[in-house]
Amino acid sequence: MIKAVIVEDEKKSAELLAQLIRKNCPDIEILGKAENVKEGIDIVNKLRPELIFLDVMMPDGSGFDVLEKLKDLKFDIIFTTATDKFAVKAIKYSALDYLLKPIDSDELVIAVKKIIERNKSAQVGTNEENLRSLLENVRQNESQFSKITLPTGHAYEIVLIKDIIRCEANDNYTNVYLAGGKKFMVSGTLKHYEDLLPAQDFSRVHHSHLINMNHMVRFVKEDGGYAVMSDASKVEVSRRKREDFLNKLCPP
């Protein structure tokens, strides 16, 4: 049984979430609820839950403020939010789970299942460094996120965005190549990372490749055209993507 608390400022929303959890998630035991940042900090410190359902926006601050003020971040977390696109972006960058309001029971079950499966594979509790990375990102503007969390299946790898050289499609996974020679196979399609990484820096040059333009050292026109990257790799630029790529490389 996973012990959980709900931090949600709207009583009706909190009760609805609790009902959905009781009905659909038998592995979750709700220890208590809090309605604002202060109460959220107090209930987490007092009850030491293993899982927090954390509202992003509250009258006296945000869910991120709760995390900022907690010394021990050794717990799993599922955010709940309405329309805060910036918060969702930051949460996605940290590979954390979130639920959009009004909460759908199927999405709730999926999010909880991820937590359970992660715990079974010895990934108990969200990586503390991962949450620290999230907090670092939310202090910045959306276009200035400096780190991204890459879930590899057995760990979270937190890397600097500027160190990503290229991403390569691998079915429902993505191979991420970093400066220094590191390579990770991470959960999520190439389209997921194309949508997530900053468009001003990253370009989809092929159906199977996304490159960091800052790591491109040369574009060779022969053989259909390919980009030479800082790690000496060569990435084909498809004919369909070539015009957009060249416009980004040399703006008209």
Side-chain angles (χ1 to χ4, degrees), residues 43-234:
I43 198 172
V44 172
N45 284 330
K46 179 181 179 181
L47 300 180
R48 300 292 178 181
E50 298 163 283
L51 172 62
I52 303 173
F53 291 89
L54 184 58
D55 190 13
V56 171
M57 296 306 299
M58 289 176 278
D60 60 338
S62 72
F64 303 127
D65 294 326
V66 174
L67 298 177
E68 286 274 16
K69 293 179 173 62
L70 291 172
K71 293 181 179 179
D72 186 356
L73 297 178
K74 294 181 176 65
F75 47 72
D76 285 302
I77 190 163
I78 297 176
F79 288 96
T80 60
T81 184
T83 58
D84 194 325
K85 292 182 179 180
F86 172 79
V88 168
K89 188 91 171 182
I91 292 165
K92 285 183 176 180
Y93 261 74
S94 295
L96 295 167
D97 292 304
Y98 69 95
L99 298 169
L100 289 176
K101 300 178 185 178
I103 292 172
D104 178 84
S105 59
D106 290 338
E107 293 179 356
L108 169 65
V109 170
I110 290 171
V112 169
K113 185 178 179 180
K114 287 181 184 178
I115 300 294
I116 294 172
E117 290 301 319
R118 205 156 54 223
N119 289 350
K120 285 181 179 177
S121 63
Q123 298 180 52
V124 181
T126 300
N127 186 291
E128 185 169 353
E129 187 180 352
N130 191 11
L131 283 176
R132 299 294 179 195
S133 174
L134 168 67
L135 295 175
E136 182 178 325
N137 277 341
V138 298
R139 297 186 197 108
Q140 304 169 0
N141 294 325
E142 182 174 347
S143 61
Q144 297 176 323
F145 288 169
S146 60
K147 295 180 180 179
I148 186 169
T149 298
L150 303 176
T152 62
H154 63 278
Y156 289 114
E157 300 291 342
I158 300 167
V159 304
L160 293 172
I161 293 170
K162 68 179 182 64
D163 286 344
I164 298 176
I165 297 174
R166 60 190 176 96
C167 303
E168 178 184 27
N170 185 355
D171 292 326
N172 290 323
Y173 295 86
T174 299
N175 295 328
V176 179
Y177 297 83
L178 303 176
K182 286 187 177 181
K183 171 191 171 185
F184 297 114
M185 185 173 75
V186 301
S187 303
T189 64
L190 186 62
K191 180 65 165 62
H192 169 76
Y193 290 99
E194 179 187 8
D195 292 341
L196 200 56
L197 292 167
Q200 68 269 23
D201 296 322
F202 288 82
S203 179
R204 183 77 174 263
V205 297
H206 191 276
H207 74 274
S208 62
H209 278 98
L210 176 72
I211 66 171
N212 185 343
M213 300 290 284
N214 298 312
H215 278 279
M216 191 180 75
V217 296
R218 186 179 303 109
F219 174 65
V220 180
K221 296 181 180 180
E222 61 188 32
D223 297 329
Y226 60 89
V228 180
M229 307 304 294
S230 60
D231 61 353
S233 60
K234 298 177 181 179

